[in-house]
């Protein structure tokens, strides 16, 4: 069987100050009534955009929530329809981007997204939505934003904890792409570069959070990692974050950060090509390199500290084994419980 590589049409603008080009991009799209979606953390950028749009601003919505709850989308949809919006601009992390995708899915509105974290959702055709605590995920090229604006100045406000966990979230996209069954020469190249730059730039950013050059490099790596996520199927690592996150309502990026080294230790002996690339990237033991970065987090670094009950772990393992995502290492409930115990 041939491998398939499919790229999505997307116009990407990047560079310090790129956010100031958003009005021009909206002009290109022929937008007349703009809905601006932004979390509190992006209020200043949203205010700035609203000022630049003048009469073209149709409405603002400032309450996107993590995991895209459908009741929040319904509220935002009412605002969009009431204001006659014809384009949505989202400024924020994966939560704001998720709401933008959910609105586009329901209205067909074009999207311009301005990410402020390293989650990568802005370049994927994937949307996860929650309804009554149950998260369902769908994939459709129509969900992928048509315009993405990477302005590293908007990442300067990320606190150190979010910087670290969000960067490890990006690294996880790259690592899983390296052992994905549908990896291609293109995703291998993207993933290797993304991992190299995340691992190199993150310590610089943590040492000097206001340093724009390292922030820019980290954001560019997150873009490449997002492209990996868009193009390959995810494995055990993303499955664990989905199942644990859904079961216990856990924070997205923190969960990625604490699990990644454990899943790498579990999978890499069964993924020699990925292990080889990551050993070259880290110049040593990739598991130790990622574990050291995860350990430096000042928030919870274990599943136990996040509030996951230890006696819930075998049930999580059973659920994962019952319907596994594609993974290089075959899954066995006892071995998987041992992995979760180690993360606990
Ligand atoms: P988030 O968007 O929920 O943001 C986390 C917190 O950080 C929020 O309080 C936010 O206001 C704040 N924040 C964001 N940017 C900031 C900045 N620059 N400065 C200061 N504070 C800032 O978190 P996230 O990790 O970016 O996104 C998580 C969500 O995205 C989850 O719902 C996840 O499922 C989804 N996601 C989806 C995909 C996909 O492809 N569909 C990929 C990755 C993540």
């Amino acid at each position: 069987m041939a491998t398939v590589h499919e790229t999505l049409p997307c116009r990407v603008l990047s560079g310090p100050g790129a956010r100031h080009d958003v009005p021009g991009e909206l002009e290109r799209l022929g937008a007349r009534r703009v809905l601006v979606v932004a979390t509190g953390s992006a209020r200043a950028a949203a205010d700035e955009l609203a000022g630049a749009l003048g009469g073209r601003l149709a409405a603002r919505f400032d309450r996107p929530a993590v995991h895209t709850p459908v009741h929040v989308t319904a509220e935002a949809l009412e605002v969009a329809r009431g204001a006659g919006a014809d384009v949505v601009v989202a400024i924020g992390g994966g939560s704001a981007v998720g709401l933008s995708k959910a609105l586009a899915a329901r209205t067909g509105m074009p999207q311009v997204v301005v990410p402020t974290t390293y989650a990568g959702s802005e370049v994927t055709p994937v949307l996860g939505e929650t309804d009554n605590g149950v998260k369902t995920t769908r994939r459709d090229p129509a969900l992928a934003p048509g315009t993405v604006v990477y302005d590293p100045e908007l990442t300067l406000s990320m606190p150190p904890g979010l910087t670290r966990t969000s960067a490890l979230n990006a690294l996880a996209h790259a690592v899983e792409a390296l052992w994905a069954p549908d990896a291609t020469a293109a995703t291998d190249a993207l993933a290797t570069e993304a991992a190299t730059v995340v691992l190199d730039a993150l310590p610089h950013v943590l040492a000097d959070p206001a340093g724009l050059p390292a922030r820019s490099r980290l954001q560019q790596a997150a873009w490449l990692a997002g492209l990996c996520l868009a193009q390959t199927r995810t494995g055990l690592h993303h499955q664990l974050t989905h199942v644990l996150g859904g079961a216990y309502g856990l924070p997205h990026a923190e969960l990625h950060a604490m699990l990644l080294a454990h899943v790498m230790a579990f999978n890499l002996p069964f993924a020699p090509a990925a292990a080889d690339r990551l050993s070259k990237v880290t110049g040593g033991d990739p598991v130790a390199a990622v574990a050291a970065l995860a350990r430096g987090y000042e928030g919870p670094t274990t599943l136990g500290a996040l509030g996951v009950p230890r006696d819930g772990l075998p049930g999580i393992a059973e659920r994962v084994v019952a319907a596994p995502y594609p993974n290089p290492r075959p899954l066995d409930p006892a071995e998987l419980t041992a992995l979760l115990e180690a993360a606990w």
Side-chain angles (χ1 to χ4, degrees):
M1 285 263 284
T3 60
V4 177
H5 189 84
E6 197 179 353
T7 46
L8 297 165
C10 180
R11 193 174 145 86
V12 177
L13 285 74
S14 62
R19 67 187 182 283
H20 300 303
D21 288 0
V22 169
E25 287 302 302
L26 291 165
E27 191 82 32
R28 278 184 96 247
L29 291 168
R32 289 189 311 263
R33 305 280 302 154
V34 180
L35 171 69
V36 176
V37 163
T39 34
S41 59
R43 180 161 302 130
D47 287 348
E48 197 179 55
L49 176 62
L53 288 176
R56 283 187 297 160
L57 176 74
R60 288 174 67 163
F61 185 84
D62 61 5
R63 294 183 307 284
V66 70
H67 304 311
T68 330
V70 291
H71 67 91
V72 174
T73 300
E75 264 180 62
L77 191 58
E78 214 175 288
V79 171
R81 291 208 166 121
D86 59 3
V87 171
V88 54
V89 178
I91 313 175
S95 297
V97 177
L99 178 57
S100 169
K101 289 175 170 176
L103 289 171
R106 286 158 177 80
T107 60
M109 280 193 287
Q111 309 171 61
V112 175
V113 302
V114 187
T116 63
T117 67
Y118 309 124
S121 175
E122 63 280 356
V123 290
T124 79
V126 178
L127 170 63
E129 296 182 280
T130 39
D131 192 2
N132 279 322
V134 179
K135 185 161 179 173
T136 45
T137 298
R138 58 185 150 137
R139 177 178 272 269
D140 177 349
L143 292 169
T147 307
V148 176
V149 178
Y150 287 110
D151 186 338
E153 289 174 0
L154 296 181
T155 63
L156 293 174
S157 56
M158 288 172 86
L162 179 65
T163 298
R164 184 188 297 269
T165 57
S166 193
L168 288 169
N169 183 189
L171 183 63
H173 303 331
V175 168
E176 287 233 290
L178 287 174
W179 61 48
D182 50 357
T184 65
T187 59
D188 280 348
L190 291 167
T192 305
E193 176 68 5
T196 304
V197 178
V198 169
L199 289 164
D200 180 57
L202 178 56
H204 291 285
V205 171
L206 291 170
D208 176 19
L212 197 57
R215 282 278 186 192
S216 296
R217 294 183 67 228
L218 193 50
Q219 188 182 49
Q220 301 276 299
W223 168 23
L224 304 186
L227 291 174
C228 294
L229 183 66
Q231 312 231 348
T232 54
R233 295 173 69 195
T234 56
L236 176 64
H237 175 79
H238 281 76
Q239 184 173 19
L240 284 176
T241 64
H242 294 162
V243 174
L244 282 163
Y248 298 108
L250 306 176
H252 181 80
E254 278 183 8
L255 198 51
H256 272 277
M258 77 174 57
L259 285 175
L260 182 59
H262 294 284
V263 180
M264 287 170 66
F266 184 83
N267 270 351
L268 285 176
F270 290 73
D276 185 46
R277 278 181 185 262
L278 289 168
S279 300
K280 287 186 182 126
V281 164
T282 54
D285 177 2
V287 174
V290 174
L293 280 170
R295 256 199 318 275
Y297 182 48
E298 64 270 28
T301 57
T302 64
L303 290 176
L306 261 191
V308 176
R310 190 172 189 171
D311 60 8
L313 301 179
I316 296 289
E318 293 287 353
R319 275 179 60 189
V320 169
V321 172
Y325 292 12
N327 194 60
R329 177 166 177 172
L331 300 183
D332 161 90
E335 287 174 351
L336 199 49
T337 303
L339 182 164
L340 291 167
E341 288 273 347
W344 194 87

